[in-house]
Amino acid sequence: MKIVVPTLYHNDKISLGYDTFQKSSTFMKMKNCFSKLSLFFVLLFCLNFSFTENVNGQAQSPYCNTLVSHFPADIPDSKIIISIKNTGTNTMEVKAESSPANTKTLDDLFIPPFSGVTITYSNPSPGVYIGTLTYVTPPVNASFNVLWSTSDFGGFWQLSAGNISVPFGAVCGGPPPPPAPTAPTVAAPTPTCPAANVKSMFSNAYTNVPVDTWRTGWSGAGPLTDLQIAGNDTKKYEDVTFVGIETVINQINASAMKYFHMDVWSPNFTQFRIKLVDFGADGTFGIGPNPEHEITFNAPAQGTWVSYQIPLTAFTGLTTRSNIAQLIISTMPNGVADFFIDNVYFSTCDVPSAYCNTNVFHLGIPAEVPSGIKLSVGNSGENSITVDIESTTASPVDNLIIEGAAGATIAPFVEVSPGKLRSILRWLNGPPPSNVTLTLLWSKADFGGNWILRDITTPFIAVCPTIPLLPTAPTTAAPLPTCPADQVISLFSNTYSNVTVNTFLTPWSAAPVTVTDVPIAGNSTKYYQNVTFLGIETTSAPVNASAMNTLHIDFWSANATQFRIKLVDLGPDGTFAGPNPEHELTFNNPTLGEWVSYEIPLSSFTGLTSRSNLAQYILSGMPNGIVDFYIDNIYFSNCALPGGWSDAQGVNCNGGNFSYNPTTQVFKGTSTNCYYPNSFTSDELAFAQYQLCGNGTITAKVTGITGSALGWAGVTMRESNAPGSKKAQLMTNLSEFSRREFRATTNATSYPQQFPSLSRYWLRITRTGNQCVMFVSPNGTNWFPAGSQTIPMPNCIQVGLVITNYTENSIVNATFSNVSVTGGNQTKPSDSGNGNISEDIFADADFTVMPNPSTGLVEINMSAYGKKDVQMEIYNLQGKLIRSAIIEALKGKEEVDMSSFVNGMYLIRVKAEGIPDVTKRIVIQH
């Protein structure tokens, strides 16, 4: 079964998509029924639900084998029988099944998630579904909604327009639930870490180090009792405010350990705290420094063993741990809480994640092979978990949405490799939970709907070897700028002479922000901590950036969810007295743990109507007062590559850097040690790239090649940046020869072929369908064939400019002019009267959608349709037409505002006379 979920999971967790449900065609049909039958069903509703009884002193649930329906008048189509009752000290059960009179079988149950509760599901028999709600703190009244689907409908029905309310202790007849246990009946879990990896204070599984006392005289607690639980030694503490445990005589050296472990069971605690104290290098208390740190766990589970496996790095104040002498445990409520402990030890054993390249399926049903994916979930830092997902079938995953993970900030997914998506969850405003519960939704390239895997749980510290750990500080310097100094005005960079800056932290910056100058791999860097906002000023010598076209800044953070930049100009009078135009730009969810280079067109600062007297540069971020970041290379320049172009990733070579002069419209690139010898199965190229979707052409003139050795420069079309990617590549060395390379099979030999250049340094490659055709020209007007090859590649490929070297250790510079990329250009170069250019066979027209995913503003490029008017239509995943427009042929591009659309996936269809319809997906993520 595959369920198409309308937009429920894409909406805010609080709203839960009720507006979307109420606007659905199904709801409108039910609304019409209600208008005719309202009096009867209002009476029925009141009779069914208005009275409660007491059973054995407990309230009778208003939902006990009760016939219910959508909103609830919609009996003809969605009727089910539902029972909602209390099943334990902190659990409620929702049981749903088809009514015997209902021919549509119930095939799914869903309770919208909310904080403080874990929801699990079971399907004990066909047409019967049970949802169990486990509360951290049981409420007086349980408030939630119930949704279900039936076999004839892909969406969900729902019980109420808002939440229903049921007394938490309400039952459906029968005896009341058993009283909560006051002591464990089973032993704590048996440790599995090898003894060689453990330093144990208390555990039957290991040889324990000497402990002076398990209850110091200065403890604020009742009695300590040593007892056995199911034959296992256990310690019981009563009426605890705090209790001290000491190893002063034989201090513990845990400097080589990674984790502190303790198993705890309590019937009544609401908070649990663990403090470690180190007596420092002199091994004494109170004389030298005694570093310590306390970890707090709120709302721990009661009535069950809770295993705390805490990374020692989480004890941030514990700056040394070679002389640990005190363990202090405290609880809430003060003086009332009782608890049992076992298995107290330090170890180096990681907890393996249950999800590490693990095959998982829609709704967790293994039979659903078509939707199979590999899922990896693992700890990636002190406050983060990383989720990776990739397809186990030929159709790649193209969207990932994560719900749940209470308290986490969830970053939108990024594509880390073709078909593999990654999202990072971070706890920025408090400690992470012991266990993390997630619901995943994904879609695949060959299907418009969502697949879902609900309520998987993993320990926060569980690790997967394929999940990278996020660093807390950069270990490499920011990328070295390559823009020539005469095209730069620099505020801060080792590469350039910097203008006068009055301050990098103004007095009016929001406290407690600080700035520190730190060297990163020998490069000067600014490190800002605890940022809400901060000011940088050049008031004594304002910057005239009116001739510049971009602002550059390199940014690195381990915890930012947002980064903002504001520029303020003093205006024509150069003072704060007159108009001071300003504008702020916001960048959400920057990539963490690596340098992010922002190359921002100054035209994007739309409110900055003048920029000849720039005096203030205000940086801010989220979360307020917590975010830290490093900054380098703040400068204005004329070197940015044009829109859509990037040189962020070469091909198997990090030595490539490109710049662009907007005045001369010349690209300049450098290839450092980019060299690939025979057998030509793996490329090394400096690469300025541009994504081309559909048919198109790349054209450029190579105008110069210089450096410590000679090399090749030219144009390419590639399946990807992988070294063995399929490709068509045409280059020149500006002397006797040109060179063509084709690779029609991934990782095969490309077999370079050299041919006389005849001073034809204009180069062009055209793709029509799977056919790649090369041309050369002496003047950009008369074109001559230079080779062709059939190369199957995906719809979207990377095209652009490439440079490679003659020899392995050398530097080659190249310049390119008259660079253009055209999409779907259905014309071919003139044949110069030779008559030897065959007719091109052009594939069907296509269009591109950028950016995708988008926050709302989308550009649709339809230049491939030539002079044909096109009709554009936007549908939701249920097939409902949301928007339609006719776009004139001469426009070629259309900017569509989808910012009012709720988060989710939509279909864009383009139609033109005589051309097959083309449909693309677009993901909206606000």
Side-chain angles (χ1 to χ4, degrees), residues 10 175 270 292 325 327 353 443 538 612 673 744:
H10 304 289
T270 59
E292 63 180 49
L327 165 62
S353 173
S443 66
T538 56
S612 57
N673 305 331

Coordinates of all heavy atoms in Angstrom, one line a residue, residues 10 175 270 292 325 327 353 443 538 612 673 744:
H10 N 4.0 18.3 5.6 CA 4.8 19.4 5.2 C 4.5 20.7 6.0 O 5.2 21.7 5.9 CB 4.6 19.7 3.7 CG 4.9 18.5 2.9 ND1 6.2 18.1 2.7 CD2 4.1 17.7 2.2 CE1 6.2 17.0 1.9 NE2 4.9 16.7 1.6
P175 N -11.7 -3.8 34.5 CA -10.9 -3.4 35.7 C -10.0 -2.2 35.3 O -9.6 -2.0 34.2 CB -10.1 -4.6 36.1 CG -9.9 -5.3 34.8 CD -11.2 -5.1 34.0
T270 N 11.2 13.4 38.1 CA 10.9 14.2 36.9 C 12.1 14.9 36.3 O 12.0 15.5 35.3 CB 9.9 15.3 37.4 OG1 10.4 16.1 38.4 CG2 8.6 14.7 37.9
E292 N 34.7 20.6 36.8 CA 33.5 19.8 37.0 C 32.4 20.2 35.9 O 32.5 21.3 35.3 CB 32.9 20.0 38.4 CG 32.4 21.4 38.6 CD 31.9 21.6 40.0 OE1 32.5 21.2 41.0 OE2 30.8 22.2 40.1
A325 N 37.2 12.1 41.0 CA 37.1 11.7 42.4 C 35.7 11.8 43.0 O 35.4 11.3 44.1 CB 38.0 12.6 43.3
L327 N 31.3 11.8 42.0 CA 30.2 11.6 41.1 C 29.0 12.1 42.0 O 28.7 11.5 43.0 CB 30.0 10.2 40.7 CG 28.6 9.8 40.1 CD1 28.3 10.5 38.8 CD2 28.6 8.3 39.8
S353 N 24.3 2.2 15.7 CA 23.0 2.6 15.3 C 22.3 1.4 14.6 O 22.9 0.6 13.9 CB 23.0 3.8 14.3 OG 21.8 4.0 13.7
S443 N 10.2 11.0 -1.3 CA 9.7 10.7 -2.6 C 10.8 10.3 -3.6 O 12.0 10.4 -3.3 CB 8.9 11.9 -3.2 OG 9.9 13.0 -3.5
T538 N 33.3 51.3 9.0 CA 34.3 52.1 8.3 C 33.9 53.5 8.2 O 33.9 54.2 7.2 CB 34.5 51.5 6.9 OG1 33.3 51.5 6.2 CG2 35.1 50.1 6.9
S612 N 28.2 54.5 -2.4 CA 29.4 55.2 -2.5 C 30.0 55.6 -1.1 O 31.1 56.1 -1.1 CB 29.2 56.4 -3.4 OG 28.2 57.3 -2.8
N673 N 48.3 21.7 -11.3 CA 48.6 20.3 -11.2 C 47.4 19.4 -11.6 O 47.3 18.3 -11.1 CB 49.0 19.9 -9.8 CG 50.2 20.7 -9.3 OD1 51.0 21.1 -10.1 ND2 50.3 20.9 -8.0
A744 N 31.6 7.5 -23.7 CA 30.2 7.1 -23.8 C 29.8 6.1 -22.7 O 28.6 5.9 -22.6 CB 29.9 6.5 -25.2

